[in-house]
Amino acid sequence: MPFDLSLLQQRHSVPSRQLGEPAPDEATLHELLEAAIRVPDHGKLVPFRLIRLQGEAKLIFGRRVAEIAQKNHPDMSDAKLEKDRLRYTFAPLVIAVIARLDALSKVPEIEQKLSAGTVAHNILLGAFALGYGAQWLTGWAAYDREVAALLGLADNEQVIGFVHLGTPQTDVPDRDRPALGDLLSSWTP
C-alpha cells in the first residue's frame, strides 16, 4: 500500500482553545486509539496507558488541577491561574497519555518514555488524518505528583502529555518550520 507523505508534511497542531465539538465518536475514537498504540516497544513492555477526560469529568478534573495550582504555586500569576482554570473547557475530549515505567526492565526508561511519547504523536497524526484537530500539552500539571494522584497514577507512572481533541473552529495557519539543511549532517570517519 503506497504511503503519501502529505499527511506528515501538512500535520500541525490546533490550539486547544480553538477546538470544539464534535470530538471523534466512540467508534472513530476506538479506531484512532487502536492505531495510535501501534508504536515501537522494545521488550514488548507496553509502557503506556490512556485516560479519557470527557464531559463533566473533564471539567471537574480541570477545576481540581486549578485548585492544586492555586494551593501549590502561590507565586503563579492571576493570568496563569485563569489559563489553568480554563485549560480543559475548550476541546471536547482530552486523552492523557501515561508512561508506565518498569525500572527492573533491561529496556532503559528513556526508551519506555519515548514509546509512550510516540503514542501521543500517533494520536496527533491520526486525528489530523481523520479531519480533527489536536494539540499535545504538558505544562506543570504533567509533572506534578498531586495531579498524578488525581489521575490515579501509580508511583511508576507519569503523564507524557494531555492530547486535546476536537474539531477546529477556525482555520489555523501552520507555523514556520526549520529547514532540513540546518538539521541534517553526515557523519564521516
Side-chain angles (χ1 to χ4, degrees), residues 47-84:
F48 48 82
R49 69 183 180 101
L50 308 170
I51 300 173
R52 178 199 317 228
L53 302 168
Q54 194 167 22
E56 185 64 22
K58 172 182 65 101
L59 300 177
I60 292 169
F61 176 77
R63 285 195 296 270
R64 291 192 181 157
V65 168
E67 289 167 5
I68 292 168
Q70 196 159 25
K71 180 181 79 174
N72 294 344
H73 304 280
D75 57 334
M76 191 178 283
S77 71
D78 288 343
K80 283 193 172 217
L81 282 170
E82 182 66 10
K83 187 175 181 179
D84 273 346

Side-chain angles (χ1 to χ4, degrees), residues 9 23 54 63-64 90 131 133 148-149 161-162 167 185:
Q9 294 164 332
Q54 194 167 22
R63 285 195 296 270
R64 291 192 181 157
F90 302 105
F162 298 98
T167 298
S185 63

Side-chain angles (χ1 to χ4, degrees), residues 2 4 6-7 41 46 51 54 77 99 110 115 122 125-126 137 153 178:
D4 182 351
S6 65
L7 174 70
D41 178 7
V46 190
I51 300 173
Q54 194 167 22
S77 71
I110 185 66
S115 185
N122 278 354
L125 286 173
L137 297 173
L153 303 190

Side-chain angles (χ1 to χ4, degrees), residues 7 11 32 35-36 120-132 165:
L7 174 70
R11 195 225 58 89
L32 169 61
H121 186 249
N122 278 354
I123 295 171
L124 294 179
L125 286 173
F128 184 77
L130 294 170
Y132 293 97
L165 292 161

